[in-house]
Amino acid sequence: MRNTAKITTAVLAAGALTLGLTACGAEDDKGSDTSGPLVVAASPVPHAEILDFVKDNLAKDAGLDLEVKEFTDYVTPDTATEDGSVDANYFQNQPYLDDFNKKKGTHIVPVVTVHLEPLGLYSNKAEKVGDLKSGATIAVPNDTVNEARALKLLDANGIITLKEGVGNEATPADIVKNPKKLEFKELEAAQTPRSLDDVDAAVINGNYAIESDLKPAEDALVLESATDNPYGNFLAVKEGNENDPRVKKLAKLLTSDEVKKFIEDTYAGSVVASF
């Protein structure tokens, strides 16, 4: 049984609020204590599961005391890493982090990329894309990067056409061709699986799909390609903590043959090792 602390956004709300008052450069984080356990914030699936595998099977032999804290949103792990409530996090990709650092004034940096969760389009009402009716409503994540990623998935599969050259800030306003006259409902990423009974289809992040007992490799109407995909998920820390010996140990373990086999055996293509 996993012995993982579950933390929600509300639990660390006070810590997150102090970020705006005390946001400072990484240089203010001198003298961090590296003698205690390495506390890592993670989304429950698959990130915390992968970390728990490391904790239960690899950490002791490597001399690493690892503590995993689960977060159910995409904001608190970074604010908690910035304010020192946790030492590191494992849940995000580079475009998301770049956008978050820019908007929140945080100083989070990647350490090592571990896996990819292909984004997928799912439906309880259609068995294939062609079954989507004219005027169908599609739920998409409402954060900047994941909404753009969702729209690019639909574009790559010929469902819509986006304005040429649009990047990681694409919105429905950038759609230039929409032959099915699709409507888009913007929701918090964690809510998209729960919307499946209320919309015609939803673009869902891989971790939330798996948590909802969806099997991306089998259930998605269309699924992101893993080839040359920029959305690999990585271990991240506050700038200046990259050389923490505990972080280096965890980075090595997360990219070990044992973890690769665990990912392959556990997720059967719904999560893909990126190393």
Side-chain angles (χ1 to χ4, degrees):
M1 182 179 291
R2 298 192 314 176
N3 184 25
T4 301
K6 295 188 179 230
I7 305 295
T8 63
T9 308
V11 175
L12 290 180
L17 287 172
T18 61
L19 181 64
L21 300 175
T22 62
C24 54
E27 64 271 14
D28 293 331
D29 224 18
K30 295 176 182 177
S32 296
D33 180 14
T34 62
S35 61
L38 182 70
V39 182
V40 183
S43 296
V45 180
H47 310 78
E49 293 179 343
I50 294 170
L51 288 169
D52 281 336
F53 172 80
V54 170
K55 179 180 179 179
D56 294 341
N57 298 277
L58 306 174
K60 184 176 180 180
D61 287 345
L64 175 64
D65 186 0
L66 179 61
E67 182 180 339
V68 184
K69 290 189 175 181
E70 293 185 11
F71 290 74
T72 58
D73 72 301
Y74 283 167
V75 175
T76 319
D78 275 335
T79 57
T81 304
E82 178 76 11
D83 69 22
S85 300
V86 300
D87 300 303
N89 66 58
Y90 173 35
F91 78 101
Q92 65 191 320
N93 57 58
Q94 191 68 58
Y96 178 85
L97 176 59
D98 290 343
D99 182 70
F100 192 92
N101 278 337
K102 180 180 178 181
K103 290 181 176 177
K104 304 293 186 181
T106 46
H107 310 85
I108 313 301
V109 295
V111 176
V112 66
T113 301
V114 181
H115 76 267
L116 171 73
E117 303 157 27
L119 197 73
L121 176 68
Y122 301 84
S123 176
N124 287 345
K125 301 174 183 177
E127 294 186 359
K128 57 184 185 296
V129 170
D131 294 338
L132 292 173
K133 297 178 180 179
S134 179
T137 299
I138 312 296
V140 294
N142 66 0
D143 64 272
T144 301
V145 170
N146 280 308
E147 181 172 50
R149 185 180 176 189
L151 295 174
K152 288 193 283 187
L153 171 68
L154 301 180
D155 176 86
N157 286 275
I159 300 168
I160 60 171
T161 302
L162 288 171
K163 188 186 305 178
E164 196 169 331
V166 70
N168 290 320
E169 296 185 354
T171 72
D174 295 304
I175 297 172
V176 294
K177 290 184 182 178
N178 185 1
K180 285 185 175 287
K181 298 180 173 58
L182 300 175
E183 300 286 338
F184 294 91
K185 186 173 184 178
E186 298 166 313
L187 299 172
E188 183 183 349
Q191 301 299 320
T192 53
R194 302 171 200 172
S195 74
L196 281 172
D197 288 334
D198 302 317
V199 298
D200 297 287
V203 180
I204 303 174
N205 291 76
N207 60 312
Y208 293 132
I210 297 167
E211 283 180 44
S212 301
D213 295 324
L214 293 167
K215 298 180 180 178
E218 299 175 14
D219 297 334
L221 303 185
V222 295
L223 195 64
E224 256 180 349
S225 170
T227 305
D228 298 323
N229 193 304
Y231 297 104
N233 284 203
F234 46 68
L235 178 69
V237 298
K238 186 174 182 180
E239 186 178 2
N241 294 334
E242 302 94 320
N243 292 320
D244 182 328
R246 302 169 303 168
V247 171
K248 287 188 171 184
K249 285 179 182 179
L250 180 57
K252 185 175 181 179
L253 295 177
L254 282 172
T255 53
S256 65
D257 290 340
E258 292 89 344
V259 166
K260 179 176 283 190
K261 186 176 188 305
F262 173 78
I263 290 172
E264 291 171 349
D265 292 348
T266 304
Y267 302 108
S270 296
V271 178
V272 182
S274 299
F275 55 91

